[in-house]
Amino acid sequence: MILSKARFFISGHGLGLVMSIAFALRLGAVVFYGHAPESDELSYRAMAVNLLNGSGMTDQYGNRAMFNAGYPLMVLAPVFAVFGENIFIARLCNALLGVLAVALVWVVARKAGLGRKGVFIAALMAALYLPSSVYSVYLLKENLMIPLMLGVAWCALDIHAGGRTASVVLCAALLGILAIVGNAALVLFLMVGFALMLSARPLARKFLDLSLIVVIAAAIASPWILRNLNVLGAPVLNTNGGFNFYIGNNPAATGLFVSIAETPMGDRWEALRSTGEVRASEVLKDHAMQWIRSNPMRFVELTVKKALYFWLPPFHQGKGAGSIIETIVRFVWLLQYVVIICLALFVIAKERKNRSLQILAVGILSYFAAHTIFYIIFRYREPIMPFVILLAAAGAGCFWGEHEKPLYPELRA
């Protein structure tokens, strides 16, 4: 009786259960977690509001492309257009995106060949991982990035397994959308390229597929790039690259975010902003490059620090003293994180020849490495955590002792 129920839950029927759990947790966070939008959230909200009132997509400071446009354009603006500036509905949309992400973890786990138990564990881990629920409350682009990145992961695995041209086109479309939503995720192109390289496709077909991905992704992103060329005079996705690069590489840099007011450029920042956001970004980038050339060892030391900060367990505290409930939640989050990381490292060591896991690992490493160039905020880790959870679920499956036949054959070198 118990075994039959277990089989039911780890079958396809279990997906509905896991999605229900995911929605309940995220809805609970939206309803009970009191939070007023701040920092980047205010910028995304302003971009959506200004777009709808005819002022153009500008943030509260008048910047036209400092922040990525995808989240306010695709989530906040439609919500505000229908419901007014209703933060609750926007957060509810974030919760639904989180549920979609859990479903995609299930689908990607199947494609990676984790087996019935591994698929169920992966989706359940993704549903229960606490930051994923809490971030539903924040009006941040990561809520949209996560399902898009999981979609790219599925495409990469399908392309490697000999998928049709439709998978290549879908992958390209997702990368094109990611260019607008969160261009840091464009490094997943390396994961896709790695999957293509490992595939059994002829060399000419690999080159054709790679070219097709680049062309389609660029075509999807081109309207926003052309808008910025027309408005700002530069064909850019956003104008915060130089700013973020300088914040992470200057005499006052710590590896984490520091206010520009605390850097040597702090006194000049307002005057620099008045020259235009593209010009300001270029100047800051040049200052960062000059500092790196003058301080190569300090740059290496900072890069190592950033790498450690990116994976640092969540020991940090929230603002203020914190309630008992917050303390418990943070302890559970810490426990979840440590277990996930340990299981992921275990499976990487044990299943080094599993190509599906190799592809996911390349996605994790490329996304992680890209952030060490700039600076670290702990939320930057969240979009890649579903990938880590997929590895962790594979690691958990290794302890079952039952050599269960995977839903999809494991692809080994």
Side-chain angles (χ1 to χ4, degrees):
M1 182 69 174
I2 295 175
L3 288 176
S4 64
K5 286 184 178 180
R7 291 192 188 97
F8 174 84
F9 284 128
I10 64 175
S11 69
H13 301 288
L15 177 58
L17 171 67
V18 172
M19 291 176 67
S20 298
I21 293 171
F23 182 70
L25 289 173
R26 284 151 182 77
L27 181 60
V30 168
V31 171
F32 296 110
Y33 178 38
H35 169 75
E38 59 184 11
S39 187
D40 292 0
E41 295 177 90
L42 297 176
S43 297
Y44 291 128
R45 184 172 70 177
M47 290 167 73
V49 170
N50 290 335
L51 175 66
L52 293 174
N53 68 22
S55 302
M57 187 167 278
T58 58
D59 62 28
Q60 71 272 39
Y61 302 110
N63 297 308
R64 297 178 179 274
M66 185 72 170
F67 291 85
N68 292 97
Y71 178 71
L73 181 64
M74 300 175 194
V75 177
L76 295 184
V79 167
F80 293 170
V82 176
F83 300 98
E85 196 176 335
N86 192 316
I87 301 301
F88 176 80
I89 299 297
R91 288 169 172 167
L92 190 59
C93 286
N94 288 343
L96 293 174
L97 286 170
V99 175
L100 173 61
V102 170
L104 287 171
V105 167
W106 179 288
V107 172
V108 176
R110 283 173 58 98
K111 182 59 68 176
L114 265 60
R116 292 186 183 276
K117 292 175 183 175
V119 168
F120 182 76
I121 292 169
L124 187 61
M125 281 183 172
L128 295 176
Y129 187 56
L130 286 175
S132 299
S133 295
V134 173
Y135 272 95
S136 297
V137 178
Y138 300 125
L139 306 182
L140 294 170
K141 66 183 179 184
E142 283 78 9
N143 289 291
L144 182 55
M145 285 177 66
I146 292 172
L148 292 171
M149 290 170 64
L150 284 166
V152 173
W154 183 89
C155 290
L157 292 170
D158 193 60
I159 289 168
H160 170 252
R164 297 167 298 175
T165 303
S167 297
V168 175
V169 173
L170 176 59
C171 183
L174 292 171
L175 286 170
I177 297 170
L178 274 170
I180 304 170
V181 174
N183 54 310
L186 287 177
V187 295
L188 294 184
F189 180 79
L190 298 175
M191 176 183 69
V192 176
F194 181 70
L196 263 173
M197 181 185 72
L198 292 180
S199 72
R201 283 169 160 77
L203 183 60
R205 174 68 185 279
K206 292 178 183 179
F207 178 77
L208 179 63
D209 287 344
L210 208 60
S211 301
L212 189 62
I213 290 172
V214 172
V215 169
I216 294 175
I220 290 174
S222 62
W224 178 248
I225 294 174
L226 290 173
R227 176 266 190 187
N228 290 336
L229 178 62
N230 181 57
V231 171
L232 299 172
V236 295
L237 289 167
N238 60 47
T239 59
N240 66 19
F243 179 90
N244 290 340
F245 188 51
Y246 177 77
I247 293 298
N249 300 279
N250 72 81
T254 65
L256 299 173
F257 176 79
V258 296
S259 170
I260 194 165
E262 300 173 15
T263 71
M265 290 294 291
D267 294 339
R268 299 172 53 189
W269 172 236
E270 289 304 322
L272 186 58
R273 281 187 67 236
S274 66
T275 66
E277 54 195 277
V278 174
R279 171 63 179 163
S281 181
E282 285 297 316
V283 171
L284 290 177
K285 182 190 74 173
D286 291 343
H287 276 268
M289 288 300 299
Q290 182 179 351
W291 180 83
I292 291 170
R293 285 191 292 268
S294 302
N295 302 272
M297 293 309 298
R298 173 64 177 151
F299 170 71
V300 171
E301 178 189 339
L302 265 178
T303 302
V304 172
K305 266 190 176 181
K306 294 170 194 174
L308 295 175
Y309 283 145
F310 189 91
W311 297 111
L312 185 70
F315 296 123
H316 60 284
Q317 299 296 316
K319 296 178 180 178
S323 65
I324 294 176
I325 293 178
E326 181 181 343
T327 301
I328 293 172
V329 168
R330 285 187 175 276
F331 175 76
V332 174
W333 174 20
L334 173 61
L335 186 62
Q336 287 179 330
Y337 182 78
V338 170
V339 170
I340 289 168
I341 293 297
C342 288
L343 286 172
L345 291 174
F346 169 77
V347 81
I348 288 172
K350 187 176 186 295
E351 298 288 339
R352 292 187 299 273
K353 294 184 179 181
N354 186 306
R355 288 187 171 179
S356 294
L357 300 185
Q358 287 175 3
I359 290 168
L360 292 173
V362 168
I364 293 168
L365 291 174
S366 58
Y367 186 83
F368 149 63
H371 283 80
T372 63
I373 299 171
F374 302 97
Y375 61 85
I376 303 300
I377 289 179
F378 294 119
R379 82 163 194 262
Y380 291 170
R381 181 174 64 204
E382 295 313 309
I384 207 63
M385 283 306 295
F387 288 55
V388 182
I389 285 171
L390 285 161
L391 296 186
C398 294
F399 290 102
W400 239 264
E402 299 175 6
H403 300 289
E404 179 184 15
K405 183 180 179 181
L407 293 174
Y408 290 81
E410 288 186 328
L411 301 170
R412 295 177 178 272

